[in-house]
Amino acid sequence: MELSLMVVPVLALVLALVLDSCWSQSYVLTDGDKLGRVFDGIGGLSGGGATSRLLVNYAEPYRSQILDYLFKPNFGASLHILKVEIGGDAQTTDGTEPSHMHYDNDENYFRGYEWWLMKEAKKRNPNITLIGLPWAFPGWVGRGKNWPYDYPDITAAYVVKWILGAKQYHDLDIQYVGIWNERSYDAKYIKLLRYTLDKSGLEAVRIVASDNLWEPIVVSLLLDPELSSAVDVIGAHYPGTITVTEALKTQKKLWSSEDYSSFNDEVGGGCWARILNQNYVNGLMTATISWNLVASYYEDLPFGRDGLMTAEEPWSGNYVVESPIWITAHTTQFSQPGWTYLQTVGHLEHGGSYVALTDGKGNLTVVIETMTHDHSVCIRPPLPSFNVTSQNATFQLKGSFTSIEELQVWRSQFNFKTKKPYFFEKLPPLKVLNGSFTLSLAEDEVYTLTTITTGNKGSYPDPPPSAPFPKVYKDNFDVLNPPFSEAPDFADQTGVFEYYVNLTDPGPHLFTLRQVVTQRPITWATDADQTISVIGDHQWQDLTVSCDIFMENIQTGGVFVAARVDKGGGSVRSARGVFFWVFADGSYRVTNDLAGQTVLAEGLSGTQAFGWYTLTLTVQGQYASGLLNGFPLWRNAVVLTPKNGWAAIGTHSFELAQFDNFSVIAE
């Protein structure tokens, strides 16, 4: 009787082990046969457009802390790739970025903030890959047409000058340049760009084309040997983790050259976790680049907070390290460009996926994700249904990996039910027994198992608390040597507003802000006919906006100040608000929209070009009033909608105009 009592628990234990073994699916990880494709890295995209606009306005040490979370190796996202917009003076999603050539005889390689951002990234990671891509072009490139490829020699020279300028003025080596347009691509231009790069001593610069869709370029590459020799990488935007057969036939590198684009809450982090693995598992894509790098633009613009982290309050210093930063770290801190995927990667039996990479020197990194459908939806494309359930997974190490005895373990648990997620946790090392190990995988988890021991979850003291935009704000633009061409916190939505030294009027208006784009740019977005730069708090309702203005177009010039501007980005053309215009023909107008279709008041102002005037707009409740040089010009215009929005300045058309002594007082 005593013997039988002892046997029962032993039998139960044996039975449990047998059942556990049955329930555990086995997966082989080996480098013994043929390896997979070479890994090119994980990156972020600044631009497309103006998505890093507010980052440059952060005070230290917060700005450097944000940059460390993005680029510093073994600290945060530790990005391998930085892709930036080659500014084209045009609206390209959330704002405009200045071109290095506003006009065909104009070159300036210190405009904008992308040069600075690339240098800061390079300072932290000297091996980071730099990519440039134009989303838009100055109007002169198309010679009057909204298309950049009718004169491919002009367009190629324009892009190559940007690459040469990066090296000459900033010691930045651009390694890839993209070719993209919303409508299609142009084979003649690609070939000419390759020729122009080579002729300029830039043989090492590789071409990504078309940096948009798999088709139709993949078919053209198979049919046109000259085109194929010019293109090094086929890039797709938001491929949904899949590629096409023709792309694989080209034997080119395949990249998800723009992806993610999702709100950076935990579901956004789940989206990023799933596609970082499955872009390779399903589509053999060896690089994935997030749009966007960091959400540093007003959140009420389109695609608010669609960055790897959030830094949208330079006035407070607050920033938030969101879940995608740590999801990125699961791959980037334990593998590097030049490592190679194993052939043995794939889907888990009960949902999820795993990838494995090696440096060819004995190191192994395995990344596993078990994201469920509803917790990993990206903004695009639609995600087909699939199921993920808890499971045990046994991994057998073979080939050169049989000698591995221990793996470092990092885990992220989204914990959607408890709403208490844990990201990038260091767990005790895992012993590898007889070349294998078993994991118990729950839903919505990410694991990294690796021989690399340098992983680290970097941290800084909490930044200052979040705060709304100041209710009282002033800027006289009196900066002798501004570090950036943009004034703090102004977010150009159409046109480009730059610091300007007015040497023709060296009096009280020596330093001004000037709108400099005089020709409609070439852009895929719906640019407005008017230029506009917004600032402030989108929730503002009652406020007074004042600014000194200077028109430079005789008769046709026009300038405005505005309040309650409700739209920006790609929707700016239909923006509504209260717009107080004065014109060089001596008239004024008050409109309820940027397009000027709904007139609330109008009359004579006596304004003309080449004279300074002070415009003051006050909006309270349903009424608005305006002052010209401190005297009432119009009163009590009725404003029913919109109820709230940003303050703004701008011009009647693409024209030169100056602004000074801007101020806003919100109630």
Side-chain angles (χ1 to χ4, degrees), residues 6-27:
M6 294 175 60
V7 169
V8 170
V10 173
L11 290 174
L13 177 62
V14 171
L15 181 60
L17 290 172
V18 170
L19 290 174
D20 184 68
S21 176
C22 294
W23 291 341
S24 181
Q25 182 68 33
S26 185
Y27 308 91

Side-chain angles (χ1 to χ4, degrees), residues 9 153 182 200 264 335 404 412 428 442 466 468 550 614 625 644:
D153 54 334
E182 189 76 359
S200 303
N264 58 21
S335 58
I404 294 175
S412 290
S466 175
F550 183 90
T614 301
S625 300
N644 57 276

Side-chain angles (χ1 to χ4, degrees), residues 26-37 277 280-282 284 340-348 352-358 363-368 394-402 435 437 449:
S26 185
Y27 308 91
V28 174
L29 300 175
T30 180
D31 59 353
D33 297 320
K34 185 179 177 183
L35 291 174
R37 294 194 168 206
N277 265 22
Y280 186 77
V281 170
N282 299 338
L284 293 180
T340 306
Y341 284 101
L342 304 188
Q343 284 275 52
T344 49
V345 301
H347 291 276
L348 298 168
S353 64
Y354 66 98
V355 296
L357 303 100
T358 182
N363 282 309
L364 172 68
T365 290
V366 183
V367 184
I368 302 166
T394 297
F395 291 87
Q396 300 282 342
L397 303 186
K398 297 189 176 182
S400 70
F401 305 133
T402 56
F437 61 89
L449 301 104

Side-chain angles (χ1 to χ4, degrees), residues 529-573:
D529 295 321
Q530 305 76 17
T531 73
I532 178 173
S533 187
V534 301
I535 189 170
D537 190 332
H538 192 263
Q539 301 307 310
W540 278 345
Q541 296 181 355
D542 296 345
L543 66 158
T544 296
V545 185
S546 180
C547 192
D548 297 346
I549 61 93
F550 183 90
M551 293 173 280
E552 298 186 46
N553 279 16
I554 299 174
Q555 293 298 320
T556 60
V559 172
F560 69 81
V561 298
R564 294 187 185 174
V565 178
D566 66 345
K567 294 179 184 177
S571 304
V572 70
R573 189 177 182 86

Side-chain angles (χ1 to χ4, degrees), residues 255-571:
W255 288 2
S256 179
S257 53
E258 182 176 322
D259 216 328
Y260 178 63
S261 186
S262 297
F263 193 78
N264 58 21
D265 59 5
E266 267 63 82
V267 173
C271 152
W272 189 232
R274 178 176 53 79
I275 65 177
L276 283 183
N277 265 22
Q278 296 193 27
N279 274 348
Y280 186 77
V281 170
N282 299 338
L284 293 180
M285 287 168 267
T286 55
T288 297
I289 301 173
S290 164
W291 186 89
N292 51 70
L293 171 74
V294 54
S296 282
Y297 47 100
Y298 289 119
E299 188 169 334
D300 292 286
L301 289 168
F303 305 101
R305 271 185 59 187
D306 280 16
L308 295 178
M309 63 180 290
T310 303
E312 60 187 17
E313 291 186 14
W315 47 86
S316 72
N318 179 261
Y319 63 85
V320 186
V321 183
E322 312 283 5
S323 61
I325 289 291
W326 303 119
I327 295 304
T328 309
H330 273 280
T331 299
T332 55
Q333 288 200 23
F334 309 107
S335 58
Q336 296 298 321
W339 284 42
T340 306
Y341 284 101
L342 304 188
Q343 284 275 52
T344 49
V345 301
H347 291 276
L348 298 168
E349 180 73 15
H350 298 288
S353 64
Y354 66 98
V355 296
L357 303 100
T358 182
D359 63 354
K361 302 175 183 178
N363 282 309
L364 172 68
T365 290
V366 183
V367 184
I368 302 166
E369 59 81 22
T370 59
M371 297 309 304
T372 56
H373 179 280
D374 291 352
H375 295 153
S376 66
V377 176
C378 304
I379 192 172
R380 66 188 109 164
L383 182 61
S385 296
F386 61 87
N387 293 316
V388 177
T389 56
S390 299
Q391 59 195 297
N392 292 331
T394 297
F395 291 87
Q396 300 282 342
L397 303 186
K398 297 189 176 182
S400 70
F401 305 133
T402 56
S403 61
I404 294 175
E405 297 179 351
E406 183 179 86
L407 292 169
Q408 306 300 311
V409 183
W410 294 81
R411 181 179 66 183
S412 290
Q413 294 180 309
F414 283 83
N415 291 332
F416 284 96
K417 291 182 179 179
T418 64
K419 297 184 179 179
K420 293 181 179 180
Y422 297 94
F423 294 112
F424 206 57
E425 283 187 296
K426 179 76 166 67
L427 300 184
L430 179 68
K431 298 297 182 182
V432 180
L433 302 175
N434 299 320
S436 74
F437 61 89
T438 299
L439 291 175
S440 179
L441 302 173
E443 298 173 0
D444 298 322
E445 291 187 329
V446 180
Y447 276 87
T448 298
L449 301 104
T450 180
T451 56
I452 301 297
T453 59
T454 53
N456 175 52
K457 187 173 184 178
S459 65
Y460 284 112
D462 289 341
S466 175
F469 195 93
K471 290 188 175 183
V472 178
Y473 184 91
K474 296 181 180 181
D475 196 338
N476 60 14
F477 313 120
D478 289 354
V479 184
L480 180 59
N481 294 302
F484 303 103
S485 56
E486 299 86 354
D489 305 331
F490 279 91
D492 302 346
Q493 299 302 300
T494 304
V496 172
F497 296 75
E498 296 180 346
Y499 279 114
Y500 179 66
V501 181
N502 188 359
L503 296 176
T504 61
D505 182 16
H509 299 290
L510 174 61
F511 299 101
T512 67
L513 194 67
R514 193 187 200 199
Q515 200 297 116
V516 297
V517 180
T518 58
Q519 183 180 2
R520 174 174 289 281
I522 300 168
T523 179
W524 61 271
T526 309
D527 242 341
D529 295 321
Q530 305 76 17
T531 73
I532 178 173
S533 187
V534 301
I535 189 170
D537 190 332
H538 192 263
Q539 301 307 310
W540 278 345
Q541 296 181 355
D542 296 345
L543 66 158
T544 296
V545 185
S546 180
C547 192
D548 297 346
I549 61 93
F550 183 90
M551 293 173 280
E552 298 186 46
N553 279 16
I554 299 174
Q555 293 298 320
T556 60
V559 172
F560 69 81
V561 298
R564 294 187 185 174
V565 178
D566 66 345
K567 294 179 184 177
S571 304

